[in-house]
Amino acid sequence: MTPRPDAGAGPRGFRVAILTCQDFAWETVAALTAIPELTVVGVVRAPLPRPGLTNKLKRTWRRDGAVGIAAAVWRMATRAGGAATGARPAPVPVPGVPQHEVASLNAEACRALLRSLDLDLAVLDGTNILKPETFDIPRLGSINLHCGRLPAYRGAPPAFWELMAGEREVGVTVHQVSAELDAGAIYAEGSAPLDPAPAGDPVAYADRVWREVLRPLGLQLICRTALALARGEAEPRPQPHASTPANRIPSRRELQRLRAVVAARRRAAGATR
């Protein structure tokens, strides 16, 4: 969808909703509600689709092997017995912003809700893949925060494939949501340094980069983009065509390969000193 050129929303305010399946979206809600020109009218939340037990175990085996299967069984057993699992504390909702629970962001009940909210913009933050019938409902469509440079690093997870490739920077992008994954027009971009040979576990390092660097930077870009859209000042640019498929969640072998690649870089760096 190409945003319509009409800017602003008059006395009713510029109405924004956040669509999510994740707790961390409350960070985005708090950042957007701090902007006086925006009216955050709600958070629309659906549970992440849960694979059946067989598919879940297959994915765990692909990613983590026998150790992962054993850990998954242990987690299920301790939950069933009421033991502590070390889960993160529940997020604190933003006062005055209603949360709407829906079964699916692609369900007609969700679409009816979005239409009733009379939205100018939807912000996607941690959702499953949405259909145009959902993300095109707001007057200006929807924008998404993607932790990666586009189109080179479409897909997931953040920072992992950049680290595998030996990149020294990792990007974050705010883009228009389109039918093709991570392919919509780009509103804002940023970047941060990436250590190609970090100390410790490189998989854990990639996760820290996402949580501690890319998320905060992305929130700034989301706020800047929403405000520019509210003022009619946004200037999106089309993405070049992606020449490679979107990245996927890494397998167990790919996790092991990253660890081996980073270890080799460390050895090479030590040998040149």
Side-chain angles (χ1 to χ4, degrees):
M1 174 181 177
T2 301
R4 293 188 287 279
D6 45 325
R12 62 191 275 287
F14 190 85
R15 296 170 65 85
V16 180
I18 291 81
L19 277 57
T20 188
C21 301
Q22 303 281 1
D23 289 345
F24 56 66
W26 283 109
E27 300 169 347
T28 305
V29 179
L32 291 170
T33 54
I35 302 175
E37 293 175 61
L38 306 180
T39 302
V40 179
V41 298
V43 175
V44 182
R45 177 167 177 159
L48 280 170
R50 293 186 178 276
L53 180 59
T54 300
N55 287 336
K56 186 174 182 179
L57 290 175
K58 284 180 179 177
R59 289 197 335 196
T60 302
W61 174 264
R62 180 176 181 268
R63 179 183 171 99
D64 299 319
V67 172
I69 293 289
V73 170
W74 172 254
R75 286 193 298 269
M76 288 188 285
T78 53
R79 279 198 295 270
T85 61
R88 293 178 182 177
V92 179
V94 176
V97 179
Q99 177 171 285
H100 306 275
E101 299 284 349
V102 296
S104 167
L105 295 173
N106 283 317
E108 180 52 38
C110 176
R111 293 169 188 157
L113 170 63
L114 295 178
R115 288 190 287 267
S116 74
L117 293 176
D118 191 22
L119 298 173
D120 294 296
L121 181 70
V123 175
L124 276 53
D125 190 14
T127 72
N128 56 320
I129 296 176
L130 302 189
K131 296 179 180 179
E133 293 86 351
T134 297
F135 64 69
D136 275 349
I137 287 174
R139 181 175 63 91
L140 298 180
S142 301
I143 58 174
N144 180 59
L145 170 59
H146 177 75
C147 290
R149 184 179 293 113
L150 295 177
Y153 289 98
R154 298 161 57 231
F160 179 92
W161 295 105
E162 290 92 333
L163 191 54
M164 182 78 84
E167 300 278 10
R168 294 184 175 274
E169 276 191 348
V170 62
V172 61
T173 310
V174 175
H175 65 94
Q176 188 80 20
V177 180
S178 63
E180 186 180 355
L181 179 66
D182 295 335
I186 292 173
Y187 283 104
E189 295 176 294
S191 63
L194 188 69
D195 184 351
D201 181 14
V203 177
Y205 169 74
D207 184 65
R208 288 197 305 273
V209 169
W210 169 68
R211 287 184 289 106
E212 299 174 7
V213 180
L214 298 182
R215 280 287 301 172
L217 177 57
L219 291 181
Q220 296 176 26
L221 298 181
I222 278 282
C223 290
R224 185 188 310 168
T225 300
L227 186 57
L229 284 164
R231 293 174 174 175
E233 299 171 353
E235 297 182 355
R237 63 173 180 82
Q239 279 194 59
H241 176 71
S243 59
T244 56
N247 289 318
R248 64 191 186 283
I249 299 298
S251 67
R252 174 170 53 100
R253 288 184 179 180
E254 287 163 334
L255 293 172
Q256 293 170 342
R257 182 183 167 211
L258 176 65
R259 293 179 173 115
V261 165
V262 169
R265 289 180 193 146
R266 291 184 194 132
R267 290 192 297 270
T272 58
R273 288 174 185 165

